């Protein structure tokens, strides 16, 4: 069901003013693998390489943080090593902020996704936003942790090459250079 206006306009066929409509109200997918197969060509391989690049981007500040804490601990005769208990929660916060800000940014892609020419979109074509990006990362790590990496095989069995967390969140990862040539802008309903 969707809301198509505001106003209380009596009921008849001539009242095109608004109110609630119950015509299914479901928007079609913006990206169709049958009509636009180039959007999904080579997607899973590129996602794997993008993930590996993102792991490097995420790990560099974490490693530098651990080195800083180790050196700080030596300088303070061991007192600074008490900061090691903050390193793990800080790593999780850093990863969530990284994914949220990059997937919610103007490119709707992490650094690895940008290198591999990928971008995240909602199923109706809108770009990502911070909460969606952060949730996308959390669901990915949860699905990998509890369901083993074999859950990634889900992408082989659907036309849009969506993984389990993509399906749950209603997102699609596409080839970004192809999207600018093929797909019209996101619909505003």
């Amino acid at each position: 069901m969707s809301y198509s206006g505001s106003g209380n306009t009596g009921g008849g066929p001539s009242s095109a003013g608004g109110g609630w409509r119950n015509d299914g109200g479901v928007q079609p997918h913006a990206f169709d693998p049958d009509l636009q197969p180039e959007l999904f060509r080579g997607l899973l391989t590129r996602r794997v390489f993008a993930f590996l690049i993102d792991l490097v981007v995420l790990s560099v500040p974490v490693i530098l943080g651990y080195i800083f804490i180790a050196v700080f601990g030596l300088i303070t005769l061991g007192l600074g090593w008490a900061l090691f208990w903050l390193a793990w929660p800080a790593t999780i916060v850093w990863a969530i902020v990284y994914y949220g800000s990059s997937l919610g940014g103007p490119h709707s892609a992490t650094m690895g996704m940008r290198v591999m020419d990928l971008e995240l979109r909602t199923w109706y074509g809108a770009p990502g936003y911070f909460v969606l990006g952060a949730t996308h990362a959390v669901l990915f790590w949860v699905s990998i942790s509890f369901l083993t990496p074999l859950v990634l095989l889900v992408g082989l069995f659907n036309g849009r090459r969506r993984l389990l967390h993509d399906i749950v969140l209603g997102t699609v990862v596409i080839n970004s250079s192809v999207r600018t040539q093929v797909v019209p802008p996101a619909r505003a309903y």
Side-chain angles (χ1 to χ4, degrees), residues 16-35:
W20 292 92
R21 70 175 198 232
N22 193 7
D23 59 355
V26 177
Q27 300 172 2
H29 279 274
F31 309 106
D32 187 1
D34 295 328
L35 298 176

Side-chain angles (χ1 to χ4, degrees), residues 62 65-66 68-69 72 79-94:
V62 171
Y66 275 103
F68 171 78
I69 292 172
F72 186 65
L79 291 175
W81 291 332
L83 293 175
F84 273 122
W85 72 273
L86 286 175
W88 184 245
T91 301
I92 293 170
V93 169
W94 159 237

